[in-house]
Amino acid sequence: MSVAFVKEESAETAAETHLPDRPVSPHPNLVTESGFKALERQLQEAKDAYEAANAIEDVNERRRQMAGPVRDLRYLAERLRTAQLIPPPASNDVVAFASTVTFNRDDGRVQTYRIVGEDEADPKAGSISYVSPVARLLMGKAVGDVVTMGGQELEIEKIA
């Protein structure tokens, strides 16, 4: 039956049941082991949310509650399919993917970040994406190297 022949609330609900896809980065989907496990965990959570929503009796509410998990399932399945698991760097001589780097800013701040994949990046928790401007500048550099970003100098103090 067409939505046009049911109550108005259903037409509104139908519009809410299709969410646009989450944008997928054009960059290679590099991930650390912990990032890969996090994607798997998020996929399972989306499956669980989908199953819980599917158990709702009211069809309109079920559609509304399933929209987010369905979108997340599509996104996470694609991210897991394209994931390129990168092992930890063999050496701490230069900054690489999965390195933890500590650097000084010329304003006196000292910052430490782990360079990770896009889906696992969380600057507040101390991780940045390998495609972020800071990470791009630091990759391939060694302790003592200085890079300039936005008029500020960053000097690498430690690589772990």
Side-chain angles (χ1 to χ4, degrees):
M1 175 185 292
S2 170
V3 174
F5 296 107
V6 278
K7 60 185 178 176
E8 188 173 323
E9 178 182 288
S10 295
E12 292 169 3
T13 301
E16 294 173 4
T17 60
H18 181 73
L19 297 175
D21 284 339
R22 290 172 59 179
V24 174
S25 172
H27 301 286
N29 185 15
L30 307 183
V31 296
T32 63
E33 185 177 342
S34 60
F36 189 82
K37 287 178 182 175
L39 284 171
E40 289 179 320
R41 192 171 44 256
Q42 291 170 19
L43 181 64
Q44 186 57 52
E45 290 169 1
K47 286 178 182 178
D48 294 345
Y50 175 84
E51 290 301 320
N54 200 29
I56 297 172
E57 287 191 32
D58 179 85
V59 68
N60 292 325
E61 187 59 23
R62 181 172 56 237
R63 285 182 193 156
R64 192 181 352 260
Q65 293 299 318
M66 289 174 84
V70 166
R71 177 185 61 178
D72 291 346
L73 285 169
R74 286 191 307 264
Y75 175 81
L76 293 164
E78 177 66 12
R79 294 306 278 175
L80 280 166
R81 185 187 70 74
T82 61
Q84 298 174 34
L85 185 59
I86 305 297
S91 149
N92 291 329
D93 295 340
V94 296
V95 178
F97 184 86
S99 291
T100 299
V101 59
T102 301
F103 55 90
N104 283 324
R105 292 182 175 267
D106 59 6
D107 63 5
R109 290 184 291 159
V110 176
Q111 294 182 295
T112 301
Y113 290 109
R114 182 168 185 235
I115 299 174
V116 297
E118 292 177 277
D119 290 314
E120 57 189 308
D122 182 357
K124 290 181 180 178
S127 60
I128 57 174
S129 167
Y130 80 100
V131 298
S132 70
V134 172
R136 286 182 180 207
L137 283 173
L138 297 174
M139 300 276 274
K141 304 292 190 257
V143 171
D145 286 352
V146 176
V147 297
T148 303
M149 185 180 121
Q152 273 197 29
E153 288 187 345
L154 313 176
E155 180 179 357
I156 299 173
E157 279 205 351
K158 181 180 173 186
I159 303 169

